[in-house]
């Protein structure tokens, strides 16, 4: 729009400059004037019609340059959007709570003298979790089996460091060995549930049918995942699987249906 406005202004100035120059030259040389009255409004209409022709000529010459500039700018914007989306996904990859890992390390430290065997088990589970995050999660996608194993290690560690009795169970059905998913996609759900200290039992059901994944969590009936935590999960799913998932939460139950096409 700025370019068009400047173009019209320049063409208008050029045409009127031509009329003024013609008047000055003919007056200086004593030649008869082509235009009888330079203040006649019809001159404006005549100049306007000539302006349109000049505008078309200018536009024809500059259209290719403008198109190249627009395409370059558009490609740059698309690249920035992709880089931003990629950085957001990479940030979301590593969201196993540092608070949880810190709590596990403090628990292992406190048990060093009291129960060295349990402290070693805690450190071993931390090692498995960190190994998965540092190496497996470096890939764009991982096998569903690896993600399930990681969830099991996470729950084992949570049981080891929990101050109260914690029960968990994972049921897996369907073919999970050949299915690929983004790393740490599913751990976000049980992690948010376990952030609530009142949850003492967690049952997870994972089923795959025809490239569709159903991930269900059953936990204490008096607890519902907060809207803030739900928004975080939804944001991650929107970035990775827009319009290909269905997430429902209610008291004591969380269900995720995911199309892995």
């Amino acid at each position: 729009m700025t370019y068009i406005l400047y173009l019209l202004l320049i063409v208008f100035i050029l045409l009127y400059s031509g009329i003024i120059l013609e008047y000055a030259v003919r007056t200086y040389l004593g030649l008869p004037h082509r235009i009888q009255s330079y203040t006649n409004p019809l001159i404006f209409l005549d100049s306007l019609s000539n302006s349109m022709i000049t505008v078309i000529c200018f536009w024809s010459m500059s259209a290719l340059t403008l198109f190249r500039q627009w395409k370059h700018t558009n490609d740059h914007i698309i690249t920035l959007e992709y880089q931003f989306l990629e950085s957001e996904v990479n940030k979301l990859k590593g969201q196993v709570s540092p608070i949880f890992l810190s709590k596990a390390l403090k628990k292992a430290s406190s048990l060093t003298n009291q129960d060295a065997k349990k402290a070693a088990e805690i450190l071993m589970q931390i090692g498995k979790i960190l190994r998965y995050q540092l190496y497996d999660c470096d890939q764009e996608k991982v096998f569903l089996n690896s993600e399930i194993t990681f969830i099991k290690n996470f729950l084992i560690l949570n049981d080891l460091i929990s101050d109260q009795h914690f029960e968990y169970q994972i049921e897996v059905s369907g073919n999970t060995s050949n299915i690929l998913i983004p790393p740490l996609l599913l751990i976000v759900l049980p992690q948010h549930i376990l952030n609530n200290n009142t949850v003492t039992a967690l049952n997870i059901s994972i089923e795959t049918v025809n490239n569709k994944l159903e991930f269900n969590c059953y936990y204490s009936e008096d607890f519902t995942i907060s809207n803030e935590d739900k928004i975080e999960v939804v944001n991650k799913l929107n970035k990775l699987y827009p319009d290909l998932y269905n997430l429902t939460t209610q008291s004591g139950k969380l269900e995720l249906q995911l199309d892995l096409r």
Side-chain angles (χ1 to χ4, degrees):
M1 291 301 299
T2 303
Y3 170 79
I4 291 173
L5 291 174
Y6 275 113
L7 178 61
L8 292 175
L9 179 61
I10 291 172
V11 170
F12 183 81
I13 292 174
L14 285 175
L15 289 172
Y16 271 85
S17 297
I19 295 174
I20 294 171
L21 182 62
E22 180 184 349
Y23 172 79
V25 171
R26 287 181 181 271
T27 301
Y28 179 77
L29 297 177
L31 299 174
H33 290 284
R34 179 178 60 87
I35 302 172
Q36 295 181 356
S37 176
Y38 286 90
T39 59
N40 194 321
L42 292 177
I43 297 177
F44 176 77
L45 295 177
D46 183 59
S47 300
L48 187 62
S49 61
N50 293 332
S51 299
M52 295 306 298
I53 297 173
T54 309
V55 167
I56 293 173
C57 293
F58 270 94
W59 178 257
S60 300
M61 290 185 292
S62 58
L64 183 60
T65 302
L66 285 173
F67 176 75
R68 286 176 178 173
Q69 181 65 28
W70 171 83
K71 188 175 185 303
H72 174 74
T73 304
N74 194 51
D75 291 343
H76 182 62
I77 291 173
I78 292 174
T79 301
L80 290 177
E81 289 178 345
Y82 175 78
Q83 290 175 349
F84 175 75
L85 179 62
E86 188 176 35
S87 66
E88 287 295 302
V89 172
N90 288 334
K91 280 196 301 183
L92 290 169
K93 274 184 179 181
Q95 283 190 346
V96 171
S97 173
I99 298 176
F100 175 79
L101 295 176
S102 176
K103 180 181 177 182
L105 288 172
K106 288 181 179 179
K107 186 72 173 181
S109 176
S110 65
L111 291 174
T112 302
N113 296 325
Q114 302 174 11
D115 192 341
K117 183 178 179 181
K118 187 174 181 179
E121 290 180 9
I122 293 174
L123 293 175
M124 184 177 64
Q125 291 303 126
I126 293 175
K128 290 180 180 179
I129 289 175
L130 293 178
R131 192 181 305 114
Y132 181 80
Q133 290 187 95
L134 293 174
Y135 297 103
D136 292 24
C137 293
D138 192 42
Q139 306 298 322
E140 184 177 353
K141 290 190 176 182
V142 297
F143 286 106
L144 180 57
N145 268 346
S146 300
E147 185 79 357
I148 293 173
T149 301
F150 175 74
I151 294 174
K152 289 180 179 178
N153 291 331
F154 179 83
L155 295 178
I156 291 172
L157 180 58
N158 185 79
D159 182 34
L160 289 171
I161 67 173
S162 179
D163 295 327
Q164 55 188 347
H165 181 65
F166 174 72
E167 295 181 359
Y168 65 91
Q169 183 178 358
I170 299 180
E171 297 179 0
V172 181
S173 60
N175 182 16
T176 59
S177 58
N178 297 324
I179 293 179
L180 294 171
I181 63 171
L184 302 177
L185 174 65
L186 302 178
I187 190 62
V188 181
L189 301 173
Q191 182 173 237
H192 283 312
I193 295 172
L194 294 177
N195 283 341
N196 187 285
N197 295 325
T198 63
V199 176
T200 58
L202 178 63
N203 294 326
I204 297 176
S205 171
I206 302 173
E207 182 178 2
T208 59
V209 180
N210 299 327
N211 286 328
K212 291 186 178 180
L213 171 66
E214 290 191 9
F215 185 86
N216 302 323
C217 294
Y218 305 93
Y219 46 93
S220 306
E221 295 183 0
D222 57 347
F223 165 69
T224 303
I225 188 170
S226 67
N227 290 331
E228 182 180 350
D229 291 339
K230 184 177 178 181
I231 289 173
E232 183 180 345
V233 175
V234 169
N235 287 339
K236 183 171 186 177
L237 291 171
N238 283 337
K239 289 179 175 66
L240 298 172
Y241 292 96
D243 302 323
L244 293 176
Y245 73 93
N246 180 39
L247 177 66
T248 58
T249 59
Q250 51 185 301
S251 182
K253 186 177 182 181
L254 183 149
E255 296 180 340
L256 172 64
Q257 288 85 36
L258 189 62
D259 193 337
L260 300 174
R261 289 179 296 176

